[in-house]
Amino acid sequence: MHLSLARCLLTGSFLKPASALMLLFFTVVTKAEDLRFGLLAKSTSDQNFVDTWRGCQEAASADGNHCVLLGAAGPANAHVQRNELSHALQSGEYSAIAISVAESSFLAAVAAESDVPLLSFDSPFSEADQHLSEGYIGPDNYAFGEQLAGMALSYRPGGGVVCILTVGTDPNLQERVAAVRQTLAGDHAIAPNSRLTGQSGWHEHERCPTMSLGSTQQIKTQFKAILTEIKPHMIISVGHWPVVDDDLYRELTHDVTPMLKNEHMRMIVGVGRVSDEYRALLYEGLVHGLVSIDFTEIGRVTYQQLKRAAKGEAVPLVTHTQKVTVLPELYVRATPETSP
């Protein structure tokens, strides 16, 4: 408020002191909205979702609002996420909620009864349930898979044995896997959920697993078996599970380190922000490429769309955020001290 106007209000030039103070009070209240927005993650212990929440909260706090990370720690669990959504809606605390969908069908019944605007981020509702969300914010997951596969093709244009790593039936991960398969297959059409059987020279080994949880124990058993028993030419992980614990990754790859370093076996991974730990794995030749998602940006953009939805304003059906391809040449050509 302009200083001269404030003096007039307080001195009673325009209003009595009590009325002036009341007007000042309401001016302050309307500036600080104090709204709460929910961000329902697949896992609250996943660093990517923590980064998303930080971006959301940073943007919300500038408006006097709050972004709350909802969900539970540990591997993603569709049943737990459904219960968390139900509790959040029943609480009446949130002006709008954004969800990273673990399994669309599990959330549909609860979401359909919501009086609160719902959006999705990172992982959208499946096609049949997309009407439950006012808009999606996050990467183009199909394009993300195309980038992962494109990196694989740059290394082995003639094909080879490949294992594609994913977790559960998350909609975003299914899109990425479909894109990886179709991009590797080239002009050969791939039926939904079908493995590569020689298209453009690529074969998916029949023992390559789909991990149900992406837990540490599954990484130790299933991923270890891929490395030491299957030994494919290419491993493409559409999420960060194998490398999220870099020390464990080094332990599990110990017996095949020569194969990774001489590039008889290559590892390409989809991750969140490119941490110093991931940079070290690239520099050491244990990982051969990353496609990175900026989850902090997802959080900032999600907040803006949540705020619009809470006000009853139209939200874009799709808002794609940036992703970055990181090739190892950025690191292996520099010394550890000078690598970016």
Side-chain angles (χ1 to χ4, degrees), residues 91-257:
S91 73
E93 295 180 21
Y94 302 100
S95 299
I97 297 173
I99 309 165
S100 178
V101 179
E103 191 162 336
S104 189
S105 60
F106 272 82
L107 293 179
V110 176
E113 299 299 320
S114 175
D115 293 326
V116 174
L118 299 179
L119 287 78
S120 60
F121 71 98
D122 169 59
S123 178
F125 282 92
S126 64
E127 186 174 354
D129 300 322
Q130 283 180 2
H131 64 282
L132 300 173
S133 168
E134 296 193 19
Y136 164 75
I137 303 99
D140 180 334
N141 285 295
Y142 196 89
F144 189 87
E146 288 179 318
Q147 284 184 278
L148 289 167
M151 196 178 296
L153 286 170
S154 71
Y155 284 124
R156 292 187 68 90
V161 178
V162 59
C163 271
I164 303 171
L165 298 187
T166 187
V167 169
T169 58
D170 303 36
N172 63 326
L173 304 181
Q174 289 182 316
E175 282 191 63
R176 295 177 191 180
V177 171
V180 167
R181 286 176 172 151
Q182 189 56 67
T183 304
L184 293 181
D187 295 332
H188 304 278
I190 296 291
N193 301 316
S194 296
R195 291 175 181 256
L196 292 161
T197 57
Q199 295 89 341
S200 298
W202 290 98
H203 299 261
E204 281 184 74
H205 197 284
E206 61 184 11
R207 290 179 55 201
C208 294
T210 295
M211 297 181 289
S212 58
L213 297 174
S215 65
T216 300
Q217 188 55 47
Q218 286 186 327
I219 295 299
K220 287 181 177 178
T221 55
Q222 295 180 337
F223 181 59
K224 178 71 171 180
I226 291 172
L227 294 168
T228 59
E229 298 174 23
I230 300 174
K231 297 179 180 178
H233 298 110
M234 188 73 61
I235 302 171
I236 301 175
S237 181
V238 300
H240 65 177
W241 317 286
V243 298
V244 68
D245 183 335
D246 60 309
D247 289 332
L248 176 60
Y249 180 78
R250 288 188 180 88
E251 176 187 329
L252 296 177
T253 58
H254 180 268
D255 293 341
V256 295
T257 294

